[in-house]
Amino acid sequence: MADGEYKPGLEGVPATRSNISYVDGQAGILEYRGIAIEELTAHSSFLETAHLLIYDHLPLVKDLEEFTEAVREHRRVKYRIIDMIKSFPESGHPMDALQTCVAALGMFYPIQEFSHDYVFGTVTRLLAKVPTVVAAFHQMRQGNDPIPPDDSLDRPSNFLYMLSGKIPDPKLARIFDQCLILHAEHTVNASTFAMLVTASTLANPYSAIASAIGTLSGQLHGGANEQVMVMLRQIGSVGNVRPYIEERLAKKQKIMGMGHRIYKVKDPRAIILQKIVEELFETFGHNKYYDIALEVEKVCDELLGSKEIYPNVDFYSGLIYDKLGIPEELFTPVFAIARIAGWLAHWREQLSDNRLFRPTQVYTGLRNQPYIHSDRRHPNSSHELH
Ligand SMILES: CC(C)(COP(=O)(O)OP(=O)(O)OC[C@H]1O[C@@H](n2cnc3c(N)ncnc32)[C@H](O)[C@@H]1OP(=O)(O)O)[C@@H](O)C(=O)NCCC(=O)NCCS
């Protein structure tokens, strides 16, 4: 391959063929299996959307009931996983704890022949257990026992209950579920690509999902939502916004929650999330961080609009999670609780027609070099070993 064909970050290079989600970064469109996210957020639930993504169609009522029931049944995690969490450092990041637990779960559920039952069992277990692990680590790092799942609650209410011990207002649970729908899938992003590469080796799906979780944790990907809330708190008041943004830009630092490799307009998920923030604050009380966020968006529009940098999905989601009482360090694990649906859809699609990922490289190193014995190497000479 000639050097000219190399695209840093594989920008614009198709890595797979997929019919799971469609994105138009110029028009600001995102569809799951052809259905606009605006429709799904208004009318669907996260589990119904997960079924749509993974199984390619909206389920019949009886199929959704069966799917929901199976996910409910798998909520508990093995006591040995809980024992393992006890040994984690309290200062550890919840994404690292989640990645470790998901990889460990794979030891309990070894890979099997790729059949309908195996896929159904894997999908429903992972959808069910990821929220339980996130909540368990959150409780245990504070010295509490984990709160067991409550089978009488739906998935979003149960997660919020396991975090706080309180059954949430149904309106808040619905808002949380809408956020999960919006984060459920987004074509071949970095974490999905990492999952695809691992899955293509025919590794255990728990390993493939653990790869994705590790990849999502970075601040250029899922970790940005946590950083947005940190930024809004650091700014502290509307008056501080402009000097804060100008100083960061002068130092060539990024503004978290702004910009996207695909979207050259405001991310359609950010538009919906902003509406949700407004409804949430109207019903449950306002806080100053929304005003600060609006000012950040305005100043960035002025200073970065010419580079087509606008709010992405992470910009407004943190404000919602904060209002729901979810601590900042759980924002990215919450992203994983949603994105697990998209990862599983891509896992199933990849394995239905698998080919090992094995890209090539543009070699830029030396060739035909002599081996220099250690007593003849000089620190400042070209003979120094790298
Ligand atoms: C998401 C992201 C990595 C995509 O960026 P990308 O396609 O790789 O684009 P680049 O990082 O090459 O940036 C292109 C230009 O826009 C600027 N830019 C991009 N995002 C920016 C941001 N959030 N704040 C300030 N400048 C930004 C870069 O500095 C660069 O400017 P230059 O051409 O003058 O050097 C990037 O926008 C970013 O880091 N955003 C902040 C993190 C974030 O919110 N991530 C969540 C994504 S959903």
Side-chain angles (χ1 to χ4, degrees):
M1 183 190 273
D3 266 26
E5 294 171 40
Y6 163 60
K7 302 271 190 185
L10 299 185
E11 184 167 356
V13 177
T16 190
R17 293 166 76 101
S18 177
N19 55 26
I20 298 169
S21 61
Y22 170 82
V23 63
D24 181 335
Q26 297 293 339
I29 292 171
L30 174 60
E31 295 169 355
Y32 300 163
R33 302 284 188 189
I35 305 177
I37 49 160
E38 289 77 5
E39 286 283 297
L40 290 165
T41 318
H43 306 296
S44 186
S45 66
F46 172 76
L47 277 184
E48 185 185 60
T49 298
H51 187 290
L52 168 74
L53 288 166
I54 297 164
Y55 287 109
D56 192 9
H57 59 274
L58 283 170
L60 296 174
V61 173
K62 71 172 181 42
D63 292 341
L64 181 58
E65 279 169 8
E66 186 198 347
F67 189 64
T68 304
E69 215 32 59
V71 174
R72 196 186 299 265
E73 274 170 17
H74 287 310
R75 280 178 185 167
R76 276 167 183 70
V77 293
K78 306 260 183 204
Y79 73 87
R80 289 206 230 174
I81 296 285
I82 299 292
D83 278 353
M84 191 179 83
I85 297 176
K86 278 187 196 144
S87 65
F88 292 172
E90 304 84 54
S91 57
H93 196 282
M95 281 301 274
D96 296 329
L98 179 62
Q99 185 184 27
T100 308
C101 288
V102 169
L105 277 169
M107 288 185 268
F108 294 96
Y109 309 106
I111 190 159
Q112 292 172 22
E113 193 189 327
F114 190 70
S115 63
H116 169 81
D117 287 353
Y118 176 59
V119 171
F120 191 79
T122 304
V123 160
T124 50
R125 274 198 186 91
L126 275 161
L127 283 168
K129 293 186 195 303
V130 164
T132 309
V133 166
V134 171
F137 180 62
H138 174 65
Q139 291 295 350
M140 291 165 79
R141 72 200 296 233
Q142 297 175 86
N144 304 330
D145 285 333
I147 298 176
D150 181 336
D151 288 348
S152 70
L153 299 175
D154 60 21
R155 189 174 185 271
S157 304
N158 177 56
F159 175 68
L160 295 173
Y161 164 73
M162 290 189 296
L163 276 193
S164 67
K166 293 187 213 107
I167 296 177
D169 183 311
K171 283 193 203 124
L172 295 177
R174 171 65 188 150
I175 283 175
F176 182 56
D177 209 44
Q178 287 176 306
C179 292
L180 298 184
I181 294 172
L182 288 171
H183 287 81
E185 158 64 7
H186 205 244
T187 74
V188 188
N189 50 75
S191 57
T192 302
F193 183 50
M195 188 286 303
L196 286 176
V197 172
T198 310
S200 80
T201 70
L202 302 185
N204 188 322
Y206 291 83
S207 283
I209 299 296
S211 296
I213 293 169
T215 309
L216 184 71
S217 69
Q219 62 168 320
L220 293 187
H221 192 7
N225 57 9
E226 184 179 336
Q227 295 307 316
V228 171
M229 206 58 220
V230 170
M231 171 182 79
L232 297 178
R233 286 196 210 286
Q234 268 172 6
I235 294 176
S237 73
V238 171
N240 289 340
V241 168
R242 186 172 289 273
Y244 177 94
I245 302 285
E246 284 177 349
E247 192 186 330
R248 274 191 83 87
L249 294 183
K251 289 185 187 159
K252 302 248 171 270
Q253 290 169 334
K254 298 256 176 87
I255 311 301
M256 288 296 129
M258 290 282 160
H260 199 280
R261 181 65 64 77
I262 305 279
Y263 293 115
K264 301 304 164 204
V265 293
K266 187 166 174 177
D267 185 327
R269 299 165 297 175
I271 295 173
I272 302 173
L273 286 165
Q274 186 174 0
K275 283 192 195 129
I276 295 177
V277 174
E278 280 167 9
E279 282 162 27
L280 179 65
F281 283 11
E282 207 168 290
T283 316
F284 293 93
H286 193 79
N287 75 33
K288 66 177 179 178
Y289 296 112
Y290 183 49
D291 298 328
I292 299 174
L294 283 181
E295 186 66 11
V296 170
E297 182 175 352
K298 195 173 122 203
V299 173
C300 285
D301 191 39
E302 194 185 305
L303 302 178
L304 292 169
S306 60
K307 292 187 185 176
E308 300 178 316
I309 293 163
Y310 299 103
N312 60 48
V313 69
D314 294 316
F315 192 67
Y316 286 108
S317 59
L319 284 167
I320 300 173
Y321 299 152
D322 184 58
K323 190 75 181 162
L324 294 178
I326 300 173
E328 274 151 34
E329 69 274 14
L330 292 191
F331 289 3
T332 316
V334 163
F335 195 154
I337 286 172
R339 187 53 62 84
I340 185 87
W343 293 330
L344 288 165
H346 284 274
W347 169 68
R348 181 168 178 259
E349 185 175 66
Q350 178 67 28
L351 281 237
S352 312
D353 186 20
N354 189 49
R355 184 155 167 83
L356 175 72
F357 276 91
R358 202 326 181 172
T360 182
Q361 63 171 11
V362 178
Y363 178 65
T364 60
L366 302 171
R367 298 240 13 242
N368 299 322
Q369 295 295 295
Y371 176 79
I372 312 287
H373 197 270
S374 58
D375 58 7
R376 289 176 46 226
R377 291 175 207 157
H378 302 290
N380 298 322
S381 83
S382 59
H383 292 152
E384 185 185 4
L385 286 185
H386 294 287

